[in-house]
Amino acid sequence: MYAYKDAPFTHASAPQWGAEPVRPTWQLVLRFLVTVIVLPVWWVLLFCLAAVLVVVAMFAEILTVIPGFERGFERVLDAAIGRVAVWPRWTVTWPELRHEGDAAFYRARVDAYLDTWTRRASTRRKSGAPSTVRTCEVPLRKYRGVGGGYVVAAATPRGWRPLPSDPAKEIRLEWWATPAPEGAGTVAGPR
């Protein structure tokens, strides 16, 4: 289920790295309607939470004279914010509703996502220093129609290598090398 840095990566034989089963249309329509109604409310709540955190952080600044308080406060904030998703897993967007089960759509979606992250990771900053982008998380919503195996196969020629990941949630990648020459980024897979 997981790919480890020290072990060879074998995703082709593991069934959990394949495409997710196609969801029934009625379920997708229902999730889409809930997304349209609930997601804007979710985003307003996230905005309010961010405003509250800014106010709390301003008052917590006074307590930074206590040794270790700042580090502990940062850990608590990181843990709390890390669990909040801008796009929850239950959401279904219009493209996902229209293209459920279309492997070509998901291959193009993964390729575009990886191209964007590869550009970010390989571009140097204005000061000439290398980019600070070192990891990339590809969420399930990007590759559910082709599977995590395709993500790894498409990412490797671009200069990414897999990190320990749970393909049922996301594929984590690490930038490690210069990508292959232009045009070598696409992967021919079973269609």
Side-chain angles (χ1 to χ4, degrees):
M1 183 158 156
Y2 297 99
Y4 293 96
K5 264 188 195 177
D6 302 336
F9 183 74
T10 57
H11 65 276
S13 62
Q16 65 268 20
W17 288 88
E20 294 286 320
V22 177
R23 297 173 285 189
T25 305
W26 68 267
Q27 183 185 37
L28 288 172
V29 170
L30 183 64
R31 284 183 175 205
F32 177 72
L33 292 174
V34 170
T35 300
V36 169
I37 295 168
V38 176
L39 197 60
V41 175
W42 177 256
W43 287 340
V44 168
L45 290 174
L46 287 180
F47 180 75
C48 293
L49 177 66
V52 167
L53 287 177
V54 167
V55 171
V56 168
M58 287 181 358
F59 287 109
E61 187 68 28
I62 297 168
L63 301 174
T64 57
V65 295
I66 301 171
F69 176 79
E70 188 172 4
R71 189 175 330 126
F73 187 69
E74 286 176 0
R75 267 191 262 143
V76 168
L77 280 181
D78 284 344
I81 293 173
R83 295 178 188 263
V84 177
V86 175
W87 285 95
R89 292 184 65 201
W90 51 264
T91 60
V92 172
T93 62
W94 180 249
E96 292 167 357
L97 178 64
R98 288 185 34 226
H99 297 285
E100 181 73 16
D102 182 5
F105 168 77
Y106 282 100
R107 275 193 292 276
R109 196 173 192 184
V110 167
D111 289 338
Y113 190 80
L114 290 174
D115 287 341
T116 300
W117 278 96
T118 302
R119 200 173 317 109
R120 289 179 187 170
S122 62
T123 304
R124 292 194 164 271
R125 293 184 285 183
K126 290 181 182 178
S127 64
S131 173
T132 58
V133 174
R134 291 286 161 235
T135 60
C136 165
E137 290 85 19
V138 184
L140 176 64
R141 73 177 336 105
K142 297 289 183 189
Y143 63 86
R144 78 173 292 116
V146 290
Y150 178 80
V151 174
V152 174
T156 303
R158 290 176 169 88
W160 297 94
R161 67 177 164 202
L163 289 174
S165 301
D166 182 1
K169 294 179 183 174
E170 68 181 8
I171 304 296
R172 296 183 62 236
L173 302 168
E174 176 183 41
W175 178 253
W176 65 278
T178 306
E182 192 65 37
T186 56
V187 174
R191 295 184 187 243

